[in-house]
Amino acid sequence: MACSMTNQQGIYFVGVDAGGTGCRALIQNQQAEIIASGQGGPANAWQDFDLALESIQAAILQACEQATIRNMSSLVVGMGVAGANISSVKHALKAWAHPWLQVHVSSDLDIACLAEHGEQDGGIIVLGTGSCAYARVSSQVYSWGGHGFPIGDKASGAWLGLKALEMSLLSVDGLAQETLLLAFLFDFFNCSDELGLIQALQGATQRDFAALAPLVFKAAKQDDQVALSLIAEAVTYIENMVTSMSCVDVGRIVISGGLADAYRPYFSQGLSAVLLPAEQAAEYGALLLAQQGFESIS
């Protein structure tokens, strides 16, 4: 979804998707062409505000270097930031003394929805490091989940990783079914007992737990019942979110995020028909946010 440009000379729009795992930026020129991209590190502003700012700046700077843009005051930046759904975080982001011409801030969920639906009604379920459902209907915004790890974000990568560890440790104590996940975790952390796992996870972050999610799908492909039960629990949660979304007449629902494709083989035929694959990267929604914000004050 390319955004049309204004007639303002010397202006570039920048779209930033600042998520819990990483940060991506796109730059669009006067002809509505994408001319550069950049990447940065984790950018969940609720969990680590300073790191989020650093990651956002790094992604934009990398894109500017690629496009040979040296005048930072020529940039109109739209950014969707993980954690910006929390009012204090959004306020702090808006108060940021940035070097750019303008910054327009929303959540990472909002720009993902914008990327897929533009200004039309629609919803999105994001399954990545975290998880959440989000929709815009008749100018109203709705959300489900997204309460943060570890108290929320069910079906997310971090949730799957944590559950894999919990069930594996229970199996060591003979309190749960044996699972291939235990051996996979030993191999992942290069250890041979549960104490090694505990030591390896000291100070682990949401991102660290999410890195273990692929092990659950690997075990499930080998018919591991524990892994399959975790995926089934996650899919039930996703189904429940879809049911709630239908109550507000969301319409078209898209599923995105790093785990969207991994979950799809476990969906029922009906759920697969409802949850459409994402067609646009969230950065394109951030570009639209930048343009809308710029036009509203120009």
Side-chain angles (χ1 to χ4, degrees):
M1 178 187 298
C3 303
S4 61
M5 301 294 290
T6 69
N7 293 323
Q8 185 77 24
Q9 295 298 312
I11 296 297
Y12 295 92
F13 286 128
V14 183
V16 182
D17 176 23
T21 299
C23 187
R24 299 182 300 275
L26 294 177
I27 297 180
Q28 191 181 70
N29 67 10
Q30 300 278 344
Q31 291 73 45
E33 299 168 331
I34 303 300
I35 59 171
S37 62
Q39 295 185 342
N44 188 313
W46 170 245
Q47 294 182 347
D48 192 328
F49 188 80
D50 291 337
L51 177 60
L53 299 191
E54 180 182 319
S55 297
I56 291 166
Q57 287 180 306
I60 293 175
L61 180 59
Q62 186 180 96
C64 285
E65 290 175 346
Q66 187 181 119
T68 64
I69 296 172
R70 296 179 177 82
N71 181 13
M72 295 296 103
S73 63
S74 69
L75 304 182
V76 175
V77 180
M79 59 176 69
V81 186
N85 56 310
I86 299 169
S87 59
S88 61
V89 173
K90 189 171 185 177
H91 178 76
L93 287 167
K94 287 184 174 181
W96 179 16
H98 59 78
W100 309 302
L101 178 63
Q102 293 176 9
V103 167
H104 303 281
V105 179
S106 191
S107 70
D108 53 341
L109 293 163
D110 188 53
I111 63 164
C113 200
L114 276 172
E116 293 297 334
H117 306 293
E119 297 179 352
Q120 303 299 312
D121 289 355
I124 189 165
I125 295 177
V126 179
L127 301 170
T129 301
S131 69
C132 192
Y134 182 92
R136 286 180 174 271
V137 182
S138 301
S139 301
Q140 295 293 315
V141 171
Y142 301 88
S143 65
W144 298 261
H147 304 302
F149 179 82
I151 62 173
D153 287 6
K154 192 165 184 174
S156 70
W159 179 86
L160 274 179
L162 177 61
K163 288 297 180 180
L165 284 157
E166 288 180 356
M167 296 307 297
S168 295
L169 290 173
L170 285 171
S171 73
V172 169
D173 293 333
L175 300 175
Q177 185 176 355
E178 291 185 0
T179 173
L180 292 172
L181 289 169
L182 182 62
F184 291 169
L185 288 166
F186 284 161
D187 184 62
F188 185 90
F189 288 110
N190 193 27
C191 61
S192 58
D193 57 30
E194 67 273 24
L195 294 179
L197 287 179
I198 294 169
Q199 184 176 358
L201 288 161
Q202 185 177 10
T205 65
Q206 179 184 18
R207 189 183 182 193
D208 294 327
F209 283 104
L212 305 177
L215 302 181
V216 178
F217 292 100
K218 178 182 176 182
K221 287 180 180 179
Q222 298 181 38
D223 293 324
D224 182 85
Q225 294 305 302
V226 171
L228 287 168
S229 68
L230 292 177
I231 293 172
E233 184 179 349
V235 170
T236 297
Y237 176 72
I238 295 165
E239 290 173 338
N240 290 340
M241 284 199 292
V242 170
T243 298
S244 293
M245 294 173 84
S246 67
C247 291
V248 295
D249 196 23
V250 168
R252 183 172 176 265
I253 304 175
V254 168
I255 184 170
S256 70
L259 294 181
D261 289 341
Y263 273 120
R264 189 168 285 279
Y266 301 95
F267 290 169
S268 66
Q269 186 175 357
L271 187 60
S272 289
V274 170
L275 294 179
L276 304 174
E279 297 178 354
Q280 293 282 357
E283 303 94 284
Y284 288 91
L287 283 170
L288 183 58
L289 176 68
Q291 184 186 17
Q292 290 174 336
F294 181 69
E295 291 180 344
S296 70
I297 64 175
S298 298

